[in-house]
């Protein structure tokens, strides 16, 4: 097992330094390639943050599941009623499974009503992929978002 790990590190280093594999070397299996994206809305009103998002996969491979991470600039209230498949990951973080992401398809719609520790005038929400089953995603621009929500009740799209 250790020999395989060392070989993988050496091959990865050669790829970075030399731009390719050494002659006769087999490529390291990097898993499937997928393009996970998130689209949705965020709104803030009276210390309650509402998030609605839809995960999507543009391929070229389907994924059996992935996990989206939502990080907030302010602490969450102690008690939360989270949607199925979602869990608290820290004082300011929630993670949710996306469900299966078929090729050129969507995962399950995720809706959250998160209570904040105290009323604030604004919240920054960072959305990104926490886990994708080891898939390679060459386009991170559509699955990493930063959204500023003001305490107006207005929806901010991403």
């Amino acid at each position: 097992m250790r020999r395989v790990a060392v070989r993988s590190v050496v091959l990865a280093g050669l790829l970075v330094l030399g731009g390719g594999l050494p002659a006769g070397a087999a490529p390291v299996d990097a898993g499937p390639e997928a393009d996970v994206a998130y689209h949705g809305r965020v709104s803030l009103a009276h210390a309650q943050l509402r998030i609605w998002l839809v995960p999507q996969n543009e391929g070229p491979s389907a994924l059996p599941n992935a996990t989206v991470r939502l990080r907030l600039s302010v602490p969450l209230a102690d008690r939360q009623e989270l949607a199925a498949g979602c869990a608290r990951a820290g004082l300011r973080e929630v993670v949710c499974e996306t469900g299966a992401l078929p090729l050129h398809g969507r995962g399950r719609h995720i809706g959250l009503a998160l209570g904040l520790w105290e009323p604030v005038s604004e919240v920054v929400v960072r959305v990104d992929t926490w886990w994708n089953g080891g898939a390679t995603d060459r386009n991170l621009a559509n699955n990493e978002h930063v959204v500023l929500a003001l305490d107006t009740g207005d929806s901010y799209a991403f």
Side-chain angles (χ1 to χ4, degrees):
M1 189 71 142
R2 185 178 184 144
R3 174 177 267 174
V4 172
V6 170
R7 182 171 182 254
S8 296
V9 170
V10 170
L11 285 175
L14 289 173
L15 282 171
V16 170
L17 294 174
L21 289 171
V28 176
D29 182 20
E33 182 178 341
D35 183 11
V36 177
Y38 304 108
H39 304 285
R41 297 185 307 268
V42 175
S43 67
L44 174 64
H46 311 293
Q48 186 173 61
L49 182 69
R50 293 185 178 274
I51 302 172
W52 178 83
L53 68 88
V54 179
Q56 188 172 313
N57 177 16
E58 291 303 318
S61 299
L63 292 176
N65 202 354
T67 305
V68 61
R69 175 174 56 177
L70 306 161
R71 293 178 291 159
L72 311 180
S73 60
V74 297
L76 291 162
D78 289 338
R79 301 191 89 177
Q80 299 289 329
E81 288 189 36
L82 300 174
C86 295
R88 197 124 171 215
L91 185 62
R92 300 175 181 191
E93 288 185 38
V94 173
V95 294
C96 298
E97 66 178 352
T98 63
L101 293 172
L103 176 61
H104 301 295
R106 294 179 173 182
R108 69 184 187 92
H109 294 213
I110 300 168
L112 297 167
L114 301 173
L116 303 180
W117 180 258
E118 62 186 355
V120 294
S121 61
E122 65 184 36
V123 174
V124 175
V125 180
R126 296 179 187 280
V127 180
D128 63 3
T129 301
W130 193 47
W131 177 82
N132 67 2
T136 301
D137 189 339
R138 297 173 196 248
N139 181 12
L140 299 179
N142 59 5
N143 69 345
E144 293 181 354
H145 304 282
V146 179
V147 183
L148 174 65
L150 303 177
D151 186 16
T152 61
D154 295 329
S155 289
Y156 300 91
F158 61 91

